[in-house]
Amino acid sequence: IRFANLYVDSIGDTGQALSITAGSNNVNITAGTLALTGAQTISSTLGVSDNVAISKTGGADTELSIYNGSSSASAKASLKVGFDSANHLHIHRVGNAAGIIYNATQSGSSHQFQIAGSAKATLDATGLGVSGDLTVATSALFVDASTGGDIGIGTTSIASGGTDTRNVTIHNSNSQATYLKLSNNATGTTNSDGFDMISGADGQAYVYNREN
């Protein structure tokens, strides 16, 4: 049976306005657009061989929600993006665990974070690489890429010793002392171990070798 246009509306019956049962076969829409208006539920797998667009013109949020209410460790709420089932980025949450896992499944793959098409950070099997300055907690740790790696602890203003020098500045934002401790496994790491250079709260400089 062919229809140029088929419209189905609810007439007060319980259940669906339109139900299509295909058994193990597919229901194919070979051209045009399948429009789902309002909140829709798909209780199994939806396979799409082209693009999917989600848009909204109203003021509320537009979202793609992926949930799995099972507490089983083998049950995942997953999003996979990539080439095929063996080579993709797998973002998932396992059971009722709190963590979100980002897994690049392809051998030799990496996670790259870009701004305006320019790579700013890359995470791969060798570690984390950052293009540009690295700042941790505003000024807790600052690595200045423009100077080749000068380091500021407690500040982003790093004092330079001159041309071609490498510099480390440790700054205390209050009026208390600032310590630099050098130690190893033989000296230990307590307050009474190692070698200390101190900028005291009184403005004086102190040097202590705390070993015999």
Side-chain angles (χ1 to χ4, degrees):
I1 301 174
R2 289 188 174 184
F3 300 92
N5 295 285
L6 174 62
Y7 299 93
V8 180
D9 196 2
S10 174
I11 56 174
D13 299 335
T14 60
Q16 297 93 353
L18 172 63
S19 177
I20 301 175
T21 302
S24 60
N25 299 314
N26 295 325
V27 176
N28 297 316
I29 299 176
T30 57
T33 300
L34 172 63
L36 303 176
T37 302
Q40 306 293 330
T41 300
I42 298 172
S43 59
S44 187
T45 301
L46 171 65
V48 180
S49 59
D50 207 327
N51 297 326
V52 174
I54 302 175
S55 63
K56 189 173 185 177
T57 58
D61 294 341
T62 300
E63 64 182 38
L64 174 63
S65 301
I66 304 174
Y67 301 128
N68 188 327
S70 173
S71 61
S72 170
S74 62
K76 299 181 179 70
S78 298
L79 174 64
K80 298 181 179 180
V81 181
F83 179 72
D84 57 23
S85 60
N87 302 282
H88 56 264
L89 171 63
H90 186 191
I91 304 173
H92 65 276
R93 179 179 185 269
V94 179
N96 61 354
I100 300 295
I101 298 173
Y102 298 80
N103 180 25
T105 63
Q106 185 171 349
S107 176
S109 60
S110 65
H111 299 275
Q112 188 176 99
F113 300 87
Q114 298 186 356
I115 297 177
S118 177
K120 297 302 180 182
T122 301
L123 178 63
D124 59 24
T126 64
L128 175 65
V130 178
S131 176
D133 297 343
L134 173 64
T135 304
V136 178
T138 306
S139 62
L141 173 65
F142 175 66
V143 180
D144 189 349
S146 67
T147 62
D150 287 356
I151 297 174
I153 299 175
T155 182
T156 58
S157 299
I158 303 171
S160 174
T163 303
D164 294 331
T165 60
R166 288 293 172 262
N167 308 283
V168 177
T169 296
I170 304 175
H171 177 70
N172 193 336
S173 60
N174 57 45
S175 59
Q176 298 304 307
T178 299
Y179 284 70
L180 174 63
K181 179 180 290 292
L182 304 178
S183 63
N184 57 30
N185 189 56
T187 65
T189 58
T190 70
N191 289 344
S192 59
D193 291 328
F195 173 73
D196 290 348
M197 291 184 287
I198 305 169
S199 174
D202 57 2
Q204 301 299 310
Y206 300 88
V207 178
Y208 292 103
N209 182 10
R210 299 190 183 274
E211 303 302 314
N212 293 327

